[in-house]
C-alpha cells in the first residue's frame, strides 16, 4: 500500500511539474535576439536568463527553460555550450500569461551553428536536430 501511495504521489508531482503546455503558448513560436546573462545547469530543467531586445528597441530580462541537463549532455551540449555575454537568437514558445519567459527550442549563435534545447518529450514532438 505504501509503495502505491509513493508511486501515485511521484506520478502526480511529475505531471504537475511537466505542464509546459499550460504554461507556454505552443501556437506561437518566436525568435528573440538575446545576450546571455546567466546559465543554470540544474534539474529538472537547465535555464538561462538573457537580456532580450524587444521590437521597440528596449530590452527586458527573460528566463528561458530548456530540457534537463542530462538530456542536453546526451545531445552534445556541455556546460560551456552557452556562456554569459554571448549574443544568440533563441527560438521559444512564450509564456501564455505574457511574463518574460519562454520554453526554448533552439539556440542559434552568431557563427551560424545551432543546437536543439527543447523539452520535446513533454511537448510530444520529435527532437529537432542541431546543425553542426
Amino acid at each position: 500500500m505504501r509503495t502505491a501511495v509513493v508511486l501515485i504521489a511521484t506520478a502526480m508531482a511529475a505531471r504537475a511539474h511537466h505542464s509546459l503546455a499550460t504554461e507556454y503558448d505552443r501556437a506561437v513560436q518566436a525568435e528573440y535576439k538575446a545576450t546571455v546573462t546567466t546559465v543554470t545547469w540544474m534539474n529538472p530543467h537547465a535555464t538561462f536568463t538573457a537580456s532580450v531586445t524587444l521590437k521597440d528597441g528596449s530590452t527586458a530580462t527573460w528566463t528561458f527553460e530548456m530540457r534537463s541537463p542530462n538530456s542536453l549532455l546526451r545531445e552534445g551540449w556541455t556546460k560551456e555550450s552557452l556562456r554569459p555575454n554571448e549574443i544568440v537568437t533563441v527560438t521559444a514558445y512564450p509564456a501564455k500569461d505574457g511574463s518574460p519567459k519562454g520554453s526554448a527550442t533552439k539556440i542559434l549563435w552568431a557563427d551560424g551553428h545551432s543546437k536543439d534545447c527543447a523539452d520535446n518529450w513533454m511537448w510530444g514532438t520529435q527532437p529537432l536536430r542541431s546543425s553542426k
Side-chain angles (χ1 to χ4, degrees):
M1 176 70 173
R2 183 176 177 190
T3 302
V5 170
V6 170
L7 288 173
I8 290 169
T10 302
M12 288 173 57
R15 183 178 179 152
H17 161 256
H18 290 294
S19 59
L20 294 177
T22 60
E23 190 170 354
Y24 299 106
D25 187 352
R26 219 158 152 214
V28 178
Q29 192 172 44
E31 288 187 347
Y32 304 89
K33 298 289 184 194
T35 302
V36 177
T37 52
T38 64
V39 180
T40 305
W41 278 67
M42 185 179 297
N43 284 322
H45 295 279
T47 60
F48 66 97
T49 58
S51 178
V52 172
T53 303
L54 304 175
K55 291 179 184 176
D56 66 5
S58 65
T59 59
T61 300
W62 275 62
T63 300
F64 293 99
E65 185 174 325
M66 301 185 290
R67 59 172 77 147
S68 73
N70 287 337
S71 179
L72 290 171
L73 288 167
R74 284 192 301 272
E75 287 291 319
W77 284 78
T78 68
K79 287 185 177 183
E80 283 73 41
S81 292
L82 186 62
R83 297 178 181 176
N85 299 315
E86 283 188 301
I87 298 171
V88 295
T89 300
V90 183
T91 303
Y93 297 113
K96 286 183 176 179
D97 66 6
S99 60
K101 63 183 180 177
S103 178
T105 60
K106 185 173 77 171
I107 310 294
L108 173 66
W109 282 263
D111 68 3
H113 84 281
S114 65
K115 285 188 173 288
D116 171 37
C117 57
D119 198 347
N120 295 308
W121 180 79
M122 298 314 330
W123 288 115
T125 59
Q126 295 299 315
L128 301 170
R129 289 292 156 210
S130 302
S131 65
K132 304 290 181 190

